[in-house]
Amino acid sequence: MRIHSLSFAAIGPFAGEYTIPFDALGGSSLFLIDGPTGAGKSTIIDAIVFALYGEVAGRGSDRQRLRSDFAAASTESFTELDFSTSAGRFKVRRTPDYTRAKKRGEGFTAVGSSVVAFRSTGAEGWEPVSGSKGEADAEIQRWVGLTKSQFLQTVVLPQGEFTNFLAAESKDRLTILERIFATELYSRIEDAFDERRRAAEQERHDADAAVRTAIRDVYSRLPDDEATDDVPIEKAERPAATSALTDLVADVEHRLAEQSRVAAALAAELEALDGRLEARRAGAQARRRVDECSAIVLAAEATDATSRDDALAHLPVLASVDADPAEPAAAGRVVDHMLGQLEQAQVSEQGLPAAEQALFDLDESIVAFDQQIGSLDHERDHGLPERLRSLAVSLATCLADSQRIAAAAAHEEAALVQKRLDGMAAELAGGLHDGAACPVCGSREHPQPAEATDGQVTSKDVAAATQRRSAADDHRHAIDVQRARLAELTEVPDDSGSAEGPLASLRQLESAIEELQQRSRTLADNRAGLDLRRASAVAERDLAMLALATRRTALQDSRGDFATVAQRVAALSAARASLSQRERAVAALAAARDALAAADAALADLVGRLPEAADQVETAELAEERRVRATESQAAETSRASLTSLVADLRARVVKVDEAFDRHDAVRTQTADVIALAAIVRGGDGNLLSQPLSAYVVQTMFDEVLHVANQRLRAMLDGRFELQSTEGRTGRKLTGLGLGLEVRDLRTDTVRKTSTLSGGESFCASLALALGLADTVRAHAGGIEIGMLFIDEGFGSLDIDRLDDVMSELGRLQADGRTVGVISHVTEMKRSIQERIDVREVGAREGSTLEVSWVD
């Protein structure tokens, strides 16, 4: 551990804020903290210890005295330590609990303690690594690697406690050395080997238990009446256990062989009894079969007789188709052939009424055609001429009216033309205007223009009359055209009438004439169509009459002696059914007789092979004997199967015993080295020193510390004394450690306790130990490095010669780059140490101040 700087404010007698830059010492290895008694020299050490542990250094010190009584109420009390260890560089800022006067008013205010820890991020950067006081304290102790008490015995040696490490108990010294030299690694190695040893021993225990379980499992398979709680080979060695298990399996196998012989003998007896009983049962079944076949033959013969009589009842029908009932199969084929032929005839007969109706319908249609043709001829010969004559009379009347109207229209037109000519002067005068030329004479003066009279005719009146005359002429011409269409009309009546009447009659006449012409053509077309249809109907009727006559002749042949084809088909179908029944009866009778013959032959063959089958009575004694033998055989077979299963199971379980022994032997082989090595590491069997690994390492480190310390101690005390270790105990456990300390006086070659040393001798021995610890740690560079040492007083117990020797030893630390700070009132030390921290009292009410004086 190396301290780079210490800052504090309002601590102890110091009212202000101060910083001690230890890095500025450079290569110097020794500095002095100087000042009068009570000025605050030890407060600097208290500030370092408080920053790290929240406590002050000496037992007689009280952290309540940390708050400066001289500080202003606004000044915060704190300590801030910048230091580095093998874990890195860190900074801790801590404030104590204290009360201060209120800034306003009277009374006091309580201020709680706090701590914040930082880790260096390089380039003067810091990051907080704790969120609470507990976390910060745990982190700081982890970084430093020492508890407060250990720190006060190795790094800071407070006033009055300098010789603590020298006088410490072995167990306390062990704890300090383990932390300083980081020997927990070897303790973890011991723990790891112990864990592996326990696992190996557990594995051995499990393997032993598995062997015992496997052997017990073999015996547990024995039947209840053979089971025993005493398993004599449970703890036996493998050969004995294997031999006993082999004998057990062999005994069960012998019993299995004997039981198999008994079961086979009983099975043979049972099989013989089964054969005798089976023979009797087979004989009875064969006889029942003969009886059944005989009954079937009798029934078949009765059915055959009945079917023969039924077939003879249909003899007339069968004879009509030349079918012999004595040969039912052949007769059946003949009847089937005839029924096939009659199928079409039956269909024809069923369609006969429809054919007769169709012929009747054709006759009726011919009569209807004749009536339609007569009606058309009557209309052509009488109806049309009458209508033509009536139309000619009407046309003549219409012509007379038209002529009269045309003459009247011509007369009206001529009268209107004349009347207009007579009033032309008045018409012209009506068109004259003053100053305009007259169209007749050209004069622009019109002295006496003619005046129009009532009824003056205009050009429009004349044009209307002309139009009426022209229409009357057109109407008369149209009537002439229609007269030409009716050439038989020779005169038109000379009647007169209005123009509208004749024009309406003319249109009616034109329509009537067109209708008569169309009707005449229709009558001619209809007459021709009816003639064709009547001729077709007559031809169809003649063909139908011929086909009907042919059908009636064919049906008469198909009916034979029956009234209809259907009746003949019914009779033949009944005869065919009778023949089929007869055919089946003949086949059934033949089959029944064959079955009876076969049953007789089977019975004879069975009796020939098994004479026992001839016995028609199944005795109760034989059945009872068979039942008893079956029970005995089943019991024997059950016992044999049980023994077979037992043998197979025992063999399998013996195999598991062998496997358990194999595992047991393998485990013992595999774990032997681990158990032996764990014992050696713990100082047990095989360890010649009877010393655990961690104890051996601590002892080695301690011996090295003593070796280095004795070199310095000899230089300080003229080679008179040296420190040596003794065997001791750490608590109740014998460790085999020599961590006890005693002093050998080399002049008298005597050994005495460290407590017998004088004050100066104790100081030198303690200082030598402290420097020896630091030297050894630096030499091994793996534990806690002690790069700075603080010594509070103790130098006053040395005479001038011893002081020079001690100062020379401290001066040698410069070569190793280590620093030692001392607090002393010894004048010679003040003169010889140039680097110093001067602590001075300012005044009774102002506290103290300090000044750092490092040599450049």
Side-chain angles (χ1 to χ4, degrees):
M1 177 181 181
R2 179 172 296 278
I3 298 175
H4 302 286
S5 67
L6 170 67
S7 297
F8 57 86
I11 295 294
F14 299 101
E17 180 176 345
Y18 300 93
T19 298
I20 303 175
F22 291 107
D23 278 347
L25 280 172
S28 297
S29 60
L30 185 63
F31 67 91
L32 177 68
I33 302 176
D34 183 34
T37 301
K41 300 185 296 297
S42 297
T43 301
I44 296 174
I45 294 178
D46 284 339
I48 294 173
V49 176
F50 177 74
L52 294 175
Y53 299 102
E55 300 285 348
V56 293
R59 289 193 181 97
S61 300
D62 184 0
R63 63 179 176 180
Q64 296 299 324
R65 70 182 176 88
L66 284 174
R67 172 64 180 180
S68 176
D69 294 332
F70 306 103
S74 60
T75 302
E76 178 189 28
S77 293
F78 75 90
T79 64
E80 183 175 283
L81 188 67
D82 180 359
F83 66 96
S84 60
T85 67
S86 59
R89 185 166 180 174
F90 309 96
K91 181 168 66 176
V92 179
R93 180 182 177 89
R94 191 186 295 267
T95 63
D97 291 321
Y98 63 92
T99 58
R100 60 172 176 79
K102 292 183 177 179
K103 297 178 180 179
R104 296 178 181 178
E106 297 180 355
F108 297 90
T109 298
V111 179
S113 63
S114 65
V115 59
V116 182
F118 301 89
R119 182 192 302 275
S120 173
T121 59
E124 301 302 325
W126 302 92
E127 62 176 359
V129 294
S130 62
S132 66
K133 182 176 181 298
E135 290 180 2
D137 289 339
E139 283 295 308
I140 293 168
Q141 184 165 330
R142 185 176 66 83
W143 297 335
V144 176
L146 297 171
T147 64
K148 175 198 168 187
S149 61
Q150 294 165 350
F151 187 78
L152 296 181
Q153 295 181 61
T154 56
V155 178
V156 173
L157 304 179
Q159 185 176 6
E161 300 182 24
F162 187 78
T163 61
N164 283 353
F165 185 72
L166 177 67
E169 295 288 339
S170 294
K171 62 179 181 179
D172 298 329
R173 197 175 288 121
L174 172 63
T175 302
I176 295 172
L177 292 173
E178 284 179 339
R179 295 296 297 270
I180 290 176
F181 292 107
T183 60
E184 67 272 8
L185 169 64
Y186 304 99
S187 297
R188 289 200 300 271
I189 292 175
E190 291 177 13
D191 294 340
F193 271 104
D194 264 351
E195 183 66 26
R196 293 181 63 185
R197 175 189 57 77
R198 286 191 293 271
E201 290 175 349
Q202 182 62 44
E203 195 173 356
R204 285 188 171 190
H205 175 76
D206 293 343
D208 291 340
V211 170
R212 292 193 296 273
T213 299
I215 294 174
R216 191 179 300 110
D217 193 39
V218 173
Y219 281 89
S220 68
R221 182 60 179 83
L222 296 176
D224 294 339
D225 56 346
E226 300 178 21
T228 177
D229 294 332
D230 184 18
V231 183
I233 63 172
E234 184 173 350
K235 297 182 180 179
E237 295 297 329
R238 183 169 189 172
T242 302
S243 175
L245 293 176
T246 301
D247 292 342
L248 175 65
V249 174
D251 178 65
V252 177
E253 288 176 340
H254 176 72
R255 288 160 52 196
L256 173 61
E258 180 63 22
Q259 189 62 37
S260 297
R261 184 190 64 75
V262 172
L266 289 173
E269 291 181 19
L270 183 62
E271 184 177 2
L273 288 173
D274 285 339
R276 293 176 62 191
L277 286 174
E278 183 61 28
R280 292 192 180 188
R281 293 192 185 98
Q285 184 177 2
R287 284 188 292 274
R288 286 195 298 271
R289 177 60 179 165
V290 170
D291 293 342
E292 291 172 357
C293 290
S294 298
I296 292 173
V297 168
L298 291 176
E301 289 176 345
T303 301
D304 179 69
T306 300
S307 65
R308 182 172 59 253
D309 294 341
D310 186 60
L312 292 176
H314 296 281
L315 185 58
V317 177
L318 295 174
S320 67
V321 293
D322 295 330
D324 185 3
E327 299 292 337
R333 289 192 294 272
V334 172
V335 172
D336 288 339
H337 178 70
M338 179 55 70
L339 287 174
Q341 292 179 344
L342 292 178
E343 284 182 2
Q344 186 63 36
Q346 191 173 8
V347 173
S348 178
E349 184 179 57
Q350 292 171 352
L352 183 61
E356 292 174 343
Q357 182 62 43
L359 181 61
F360 176 78
D361 291 341
L362 286 173
D363 287 337
E364 288 295 317
S365 65
I366 292 173
V367 172
F369 286 143
D370 290 341
Q371 291 175 351
Q372 292 176 14
I373 291 172
S375 177
L376 291 176
D377 291 345
H378 180 270
E379 184 179 0
R380 181 195 61 193
D381 297 337
H382 301 284
L384 285 179
E386 182 63 28
R387 290 178 63 189
L388 287 173
R389 284 193 293 273
S390 176
L391 185 58
V393 172
S394 297
L395 187 59
T397 301
C398 185
L399 178 60
D401 291 340
S402 177
Q403 289 175 345
R404 179 180 54 78
I405 291 170
H411 177 72
E412 180 187 13
E413 179 186 17
L416 288 175
V417 169
Q418 185 58 47
K419 190 175 182 179
R420 185 188 179 197
L421 292 175
D422 293 342
M424 183 60 68
E427 182 179 349
L428 291 174
L432 293 178
H433 300 282
D434 292 339
C438 174
V440 176
C441 64
S443 173
R444 295 184 179 274
E445 295 180 357
H446 315 293
Q448 293 181 345
E451 295 182 359
T453 63
D454 293 337
Q456 181 71 38
V457 177
T458 66
S459 61
K460 292 182 179 179
D461 294 335
V462 174
T466 300
Q467 184 177 2
R468 286 194 294 274
R469 177 191 56 78
S470 177
D473 290 340
D474 291 341
H475 183 260
R476 185 183 61 187
H477 176 70
I479 292 174
D480 288 337
V481 171
Q482 295 303 322
R483 290 184 67 185
R485 295 175 65 187
L486 295 174
E488 68 274 13
L489 297 178
T490 56
E491 65 177 324
V492 177
D494 187 12
D495 295 332
S496 59
S498 67
E500 288 297 322
L503 287 176
S505 296
L506 177 61
R507 284 193 295 272
Q508 293 174 356
L509 288 174
E510 290 176 348
S511 176
I513 291 172
E514 181 64 30
E515 181 183 354
L516 286 176
Q517 290 177 339
Q518 182 62 37
R519 183 57 183 168
S520 178
R521 289 192 294 271
T522 299
L523 288 176
D525 292 341
N526 289 345
R527 181 66 167 77
L530 287 173
D531 288 342
L532 289 175
R533 293 173 65 189
R534 184 181 184 284
S536 176
V538 170
E540 186 177 356
R541 181 196 60 185
D542 294 342
L543 290 175
M545 290 177 64
L546 178 60
L548 184 59
T550 302
R551 175 182 289 188
R552 287 172 176 167
T553 300
L555 287 176
Q556 189 59 44
D557 294 338
S558 298
R559 289 168 182 163
D561 296 334
F562 293 90
T564 64
V565 175
Q567 291 177 359
R568 188 180 183 189
V569 168
L572 285 173
S573 297
R576 182 64 182 91
S578 177
L579 289 174
S580 297
Q581 185 178 3
R582 173 65 178 155
E583 187 175 0
R584 288 193 297 272
V586 170
L589 179 58
R593 288 171 176 169
D594 291 341
L596 179 58
D600 288 335
L603 178 59
D605 178 68
L606 181 63
V607 172
R609 290 186 293 104
L610 302 173
E612 190 81 30
D615 191 348
Q616 299 185 17
V617 179
E618 183 177 348
T619 62
E621 292 80 1
L622 184 60
E624 178 62 20
E625 183 181 359
R626 195 268 175 201
R627 186 190 65 77
V628 172
R629 288 294 179 273
T631 302
E632 293 174 349
S633 178
Q634 183 177 4
E637 179 60 27
T638 300
S639 178
R640 186 199 65 78
S642 177
L643 286 172
T644 300
S645 175
L646 178 60
V647 168
D649 204 1
L650 287 176
R651 287 173 179 170
R653 297 186 185 206
V654 168
V655 170
K656 291 183 178 179
V657 171
D658 289 338
E659 293 174 351
F661 269 119
D662 291 342
R663 173 62 180 163
H664 174 272
D665 296 343
V667 167
R668 287 208 166 263
T669 301
Q670 293 167 1
T671 58
D673 292 342
V674 172
I675 293 175
L677 186 56
I680 292 173
V681 169
R682 277 297 184 189
D685 294 342
N687 190 323
L688 299 179
L689 299 177
S690 298
Q691 193 176 49
L693 176 61
S694 59
Y696 171 76
V697 173
V698 171
Q699 182 68 61
T700 301
M701 293 295 103
F702 186 58
D703 291 343
E704 190 171 338
V705 169
L706 292 182
H707 175 73
V708 176
N710 282 328
Q711 290 178 351
R712 296 187 183 277
L713 183 60
R714 283 193 291 270
M716 295 179 191
L717 298 178
D718 293 333
R720 179 180 176 182
F721 298 105
E722 74 174 16
L723 300 172
Q724 64 182 27
S725 62
T726 64
E727 293 294 327
R729 293 177 179 268
T730 57
R732 299 179 180 177
K733 180 179 178 182
L734 181 62
T735 63
L737 286 174
L739 298 184
L741 276 179
E742 58 188 9
V743 179
R744 175 174 292 276
D745 190 335
L746 298 178
R747 293 180 182 178
T748 63
D749 195 23
T750 58
V751 177
R752 59 182 182 173
K753 295 181 180 180
T754 58
S755 60
T756 63
L757 294 173
S758 67
E761 291 169 345
S762 294
F763 176 82
C764 290
S766 298
L767 181 58
L769 278 176
L771 297 178
L773 277 173
D775 291 341
T776 305
V777 169
R778 288 174 63 87
H780 288 276
I784 299 172
E785 181 181 0
I786 303 176
M788 183 171 283
L789 180 65
F790 290 89
I791 304 172
D792 189 357
E793 299 298 347
F795 295 94
S797 60
L798 301 176
D799 59 32
I800 189 63
D801 294 331
R802 298 285 79 77
L803 180 60
D804 289 340
D805 293 337
V806 169
M807 291 299 294
S808 296
E809 273 312 304
L810 293 178
R812 294 191 185 98
L813 296 177
Q814 183 175 2
D816 296 331
R818 283 177 289 172
T819 300
V820 177
V822 298
I823 299 175
S824 179
H825 297 285
V826 177
T827 304
E828 287 76 5
M829 294 185 72
K830 295 180 181 180
R831 293 173 181 171
S832 60
I833 300 175
Q834 296 180 351
E835 287 80 16
R836 63 178 58 198
I837 301 173
D838 291 314
V839 179
R840 295 289 179 267
E841 292 181 340
V842 179
R845 296 184 179 181
E846 298 181 17
S848 298
T849 184
L850 67 80
E851 181 179 357
V852 178
S853 300
W854 301 145
V855 177
D856 293 336

